[in-house]
Amino acid sequence: MTVYSLYIFDRHTECIYIRQWLPRSAAPRPDTSQPARIHNGDGGPHPARPGKLSAADDAKLIFGTVFSLRRMVRQLGGEDDNFISFRTGQYKMHYYETPTNLKFVMITDTKTNNLRIVLHQIYVNLYVEYVVKNPLSPVEHPRGVGVANELFEMALDSFISGGL
């Protein structure tokens, strides 16, 4: 199992933690032998501008995807249904929401089974222990002030590298 990244969003939709284990270049990429084309409304296609997104832009796209899929699942299935994971040809996105509306999103390879329990373990055993119980850690993270806790990061790295 390969874990690409972990995102944590607070209840105000701000990304408070991003951790990437594999660089974007190591992650599987779609075939780019044919350049993508964008139609911009003036009649002709234009080549898409290749470029890397910043971590903040990645986080916004991840949250937008989670928000949209979560809303769609609730509209189609009712309030009792939950969005758990989403798979594409390149990655699988796992989602866990805590009772305090923290959202944990993990991106892995497509062969990985559901990691909802693993995300719950990260929340209970790592986030609560090293961030919530830390008196120096802020309760709220205004304007995207993130989780800056070395013990949390070291414990998370050992948890992920330990093979889950």
Side-chain angles (χ1 to χ4, degrees):
M1 176 183 71
T2 305
V3 176
Y4 299 134
S5 56
L6 173 72
Y7 297 85
I8 302 175
F9 298 94
D10 68 2
R11 63 188 179 108
H12 304 293
T13 71
E14 294 288 335
C15 184
I16 59 172
Y17 186 77
I18 298 174
R19 177 67 168 100
Q20 295 182 342
W21 283 274
L22 289 177
R24 187 171 273 245
S25 60
R29 304 296 291 174
D31 180 25
T32 57
S33 59
Q34 296 293 326
R37 300 249 178 228
I38 297 175
H39 293 274
N40 65 356
D42 66 357
H46 297 283
R49 285 177 264 168
K52 294 186 177 187
L53 296 175
S54 69
D57 289 339
D58 274 347
K60 288 177 186 176
L61 289 173
I62 294 291
F63 185 81
T65 303
V66 166
F67 180 80
S68 299
L69 289 172
R70 198 179 95 212
R71 184 171 181 203
M72 183 178 68
V73 166
R74 287 194 177 157
Q75 284 179 344
L76 293 175
E79 288 297 318
D80 294 337
D81 288 337
N82 290 319
F83 165 64
I84 296 172
S85 65
F86 173 71
R87 183 186 318 231
T88 69
Q90 303 297 318
Y91 64 88
K92 186 172 182 180
M93 181 187 327
H94 308 270
Y95 175 72
Y96 175 72
E97 186 170 354
T98 69
T100 57
N101 288 334
L102 284 173
K103 295 154 186 68
F104 287 73
V105 179
M106 185 176 280
I107 309 294
T108 65
D109 63 344
T110 57
K111 298 177 181 108
T112 306
N113 291 330
N114 186 9
L115 294 181
R116 184 174 172 87
I117 294 172
V118 171
L119 290 173
H120 176 73
Q121 290 174 343
I122 290 172
Y123 169 65
V124 171
N125 298 328
L126 303 178
Y127 187 83
V128 170
E129 288 298 319
Y130 296 114
V131 178
V132 174
K133 291 183 179 179
N134 182 355
L136 300 176
S137 179
V139 175
E140 295 287 329
H141 298 275
R143 294 180 299 283
V145 172
V147 174
N149 188 317
E150 289 182 31
L151 291 175
F152 172 71
E153 290 189 13
M154 290 183 340
L156 182 64
D157 281 339
S158 67
F159 183 78
I160 297 298
S161 65
L164 298 175

